[in-house]
Every structure is written in structure tokens, then in C-alpha cells.
Amino acid sequence: MNTKKIYPLYFLILPVGIYTLLYFTPSLFSFYYALTDWNTYNENMRFIGLDNFRDMLKDRALYWEYIAHTFEFALSTTLLKNLLGLSLALLLNEGLRTKNVLRSIFYLPVTISPLIIGLIFSSVFDPSHGLINNFLGYIGLESWKHAWLVDVKFAMLSVVSVETWKFIGFNMIIYLAGLQTISRSYYEAASIDGSSKWQQLIHITLPLIMPAITINLILNLINGFKVFDLIFVLTKGGPGNTTEVLNTAVFREFSSGRYGSATAIGIILFLMTTLIALSTLSLLSRRSEVSE
């Protein structure tokens, strides 16, 4: 046996051990707890099978509403972050003098805690003294002023806009990395053939940055399905259940002492996120193979 080939595998022991201890093992336990009546009201935890999931089906309308809100948030933010991030990347990939400064400015929100961003935008969206309503009043658009975070029509839109603003820079950086791997000779040859900028974008740029598109779509979808902190700080799931998502439902169940039920909702979210992410990855991989 060649010890030189085995030796590097020793370095995997510690990280795999830590991963197993802190992630894999708790995940396995969570599947078990989802099948119990674990809560603060009973001293003895009992195995109840799929009862927690059946209870969710009994209150089907409410939980489907949570799932619908989760999908709405994840899909809308993924679409907006990718479109705007790609647009910025295309702009800042050109020879602008201030491109490095602008890249830093657009990336800066990514480094700020969601809690801090939530507190800042709670003030920005304030109906009485918030920056947005004050600006609308200043330019004479009084009719456009709203109670953004407590209005049923605008609450989800407001949260989506904040999430999009925060992560545009992250998507931009990944797209910039992809754009800078494309040789200029492709564009020069296309220009000689008389191709327009739009045709170059469709037939050269997008196919060649497909790995960057795949990464951004998968990461944004996962991040969108897992959202909690931003919604909790800005709206706490309100008004009513307008912005309630699965993770805020998990929080409410835990806060009420129904740990088994909360874990069951978490399992549903995990399975849903995994299925969507793997399906998206498979679809994009096929399209990438076809384009090649």
C-alpha cells in the first residue's frame, strides 16, 4: 500500500469528525425528535410517529400559506439579486476609472449583519419619520407614502427589497469573477462578424458564465428558503401572517414550547430546500452540457 497516497487522507479526520459531531449527528437527532411529542408541558417525551406532520395537514391552509410566502420570498429575491447583480457586473467589468471603488461600495452591505440592516431599514420605512416617506413628501408625492412594513400590500415587497439590496454585491462579485475568465478575442471576433451587444450577451457571455449563474442561483435559493432574521426584525411575520415564512413558524413553535412540532416544520423546510436546490442544479447542469 502506498503510504504517500494515504497520508493526505489523515488530514480529513479532524474536519470530518467536527462536521459529524456538530452537524451530522444533531441532524439525525432532529429527525427523531420530529417524531416525538417533545414539549415543555410533558415531563416524559413519547414517540408519536407522524402525528406532528398530520397536525400540520389538519391546519393545512395556514402551513400552505407559510410555504407560499417562503417560495414567494425565495424566488423573487433570487430573480432580483441575479438580474441586478449581473447588470452591475457587466457595467463594472468595463474600463471605468472608479470601478474598484464602486465594487467595494456595492459589496459593503454583504458584510453588515442582517440584524443591523433590519434595524436600519425599520427606521428607513418608518411611516412618520422614515427616509422614504420624507423623501416622497419632499418631492410632492404624498399619495405614494405608505406604512411600508405594516401595510398588507407592501410588507413582503419591502422585505424583498431589503434582502435584494443586501446581496446584490455578493452576486456581482461572483459574476465579475466569471466575466473576467472570458477572453476578449470572442467579442472581437463577434464584432467583426457584425454581432450586436445583445447578441454577444446571449451567445457568448451567458453560456460562458453558466457556472457563475449556477452558483448564484443555488446559493440565493437556499438563502431565500432559510430566511428568518431579516423578516423577524422588520415585520415579525406580520402584518397578520403576510410575511410569515417557515422559519418564523419554527421560531413561534419553539417559543411556545412545542419543540417536536417545531422540529417537524424544520424537517419540511430542509427537505423542500434540498429538493429545490438539487432540481435546479440538475437542470442547470443539463443546460450547461447542451450549450457546450
Side-chain angles (χ1 to χ4, degrees):
M1 186 178 295
N2 192 340
T3 56
K4 290 184 178 181
K5 292 183 178 180
I6 297 175
Y7 178 70
L9 297 178
Y10 295 155
F11 292 101
L12 293 175
I13 294 175
L14 181 59
V16 169
I18 294 175
Y19 179 84
T20 302
L21 178 65
L22 299 181
Y23 180 81
F24 187 71
T25 303
S27 297
L28 288 179
F29 275 110
S30 69
F31 280 92
Y32 169 74
Y33 288 132
L35 304 175
T36 68
D37 65 346
W38 182 30
N39 60 67
T40 57
Y41 311 108
N42 295 329
E43 292 184 3
N44 298 319
M45 182 173 65
R46 295 180 301 111
F47 181 83
I48 58 173
L50 298 175
D51 284 0
N52 286 325
F53 298 95
R54 292 194 189 99
D55 290 342
M56 292 172 63
L57 290 175
K58 288 179 184 176
D59 205 356
R60 187 166 44 189
L62 183 62
Y63 283 104
W64 274 113
E65 186 179 359
Y66 296 163
I67 292 172
H69 292 162
T70 305
F71 268 91
E72 179 185 357
F73 181 88
L75 296 178
S76 57
T77 54
T78 297
L79 178 63
L80 289 171
K81 286 186 284 189
N82 276 277
L83 287 176
L84 295 175
L86 179 58
S87 300
L88 282 176
L90 291 169
L91 177 64
L92 298 180
N93 194 45
E94 302 299 326
L96 298 175
R97 289 185 179 180
T98 58
K99 64 181 180 181
N100 290 331
V101 175
L102 291 173
R103 289 174 185 176
S104 301
I105 291 172
F106 286 119
Y107 187 77
L108 184 62
V110 180
T111 66
I112 304 174
S113 164
L115 176 62
I116 301 301
I117 286 180
L119 293 174
I120 292 171
F121 276 91
S122 294
S123 176
V124 170
F125 286 123
D126 185 88
S128 302
H129 308 290
L131 178 63
I132 293 178
N133 279 353
N134 283 343
F135 175 73
L136 291 173
Y138 178 76
I139 62 177
L141 297 175
E142 294 285 343
S143 61
W144 289 26
K145 295 168 70 172
H146 296 282
W148 301 97
L149 296 177
V150 294
D151 190 319
V152 173
K153 294 180 180 178
F154 295 100
M156 181 61 82
L157 177 62
S158 300
V159 178
V160 166
S161 65
V162 176
E163 172 77 4
T164 302
W165 173 83
K166 174 175 169 56
F167 283 104
I168 285 176
F170 178 83
N171 289 267
M172 176 196 71
I173 290 297
I174 293 179
Y175 281 129
L176 274 171
L179 289 171
Q180 291 174 3
T181 63
I182 302 175
S183 172
R184 300 301 303 176
S185 61
Y186 292 116
Y187 297 104
E188 292 169 1
S191 297
I192 293 171
D193 290 338
S195 298
S196 66
K197 291 291 185 182
W198 176 254
Q199 290 173 323
Q200 291 176 27
L201 174 65
I202 297 299
H203 298 292
I204 298 176
T205 304
L206 293 182
L208 291 178
I209 63 167
M210 188 55 70
I213 294 174
T214 302
I215 291 170
N216 273 335
L217 284 177
I218 297 300
L219 291 180
N220 285 320
L221 280 172
I222 292 174
N223 191 54
F225 282 116
K226 289 169 54 182
V227 65
F228 168 73
D229 39 17
L230 191 63
I231 286 182
F232 186 75
V233 175
L234 286 174
T235 65
K236 292 182 172 60
N241 293 325
T242 306
T243 58
E244 195 87 57
V245 292
L246 285 174
N247 262 337
T248 56
V250 170
F251 174 79
R252 296 193 189 285
E253 290 295 304
F254 266 109
S255 300
S256 301
R258 296 186 289 270
Y259 307 131
S261 176
T263 307
I265 300 173
I267 294 298
I268 294 295
L269 178 59
F270 166 74
L271 295 175
M272 188 173 72
T273 304
T274 303
L275 178 63
I276 296 297
L278 290 178
S279 300
T280 304
L281 181 61
S282 176
L283 177 62
L284 291 174
S285 297
R286 282 193 207 135
R287 293 199 63 178
S288 180
E289 289 173 3
V290 169
S291 64
E292 289 175 0

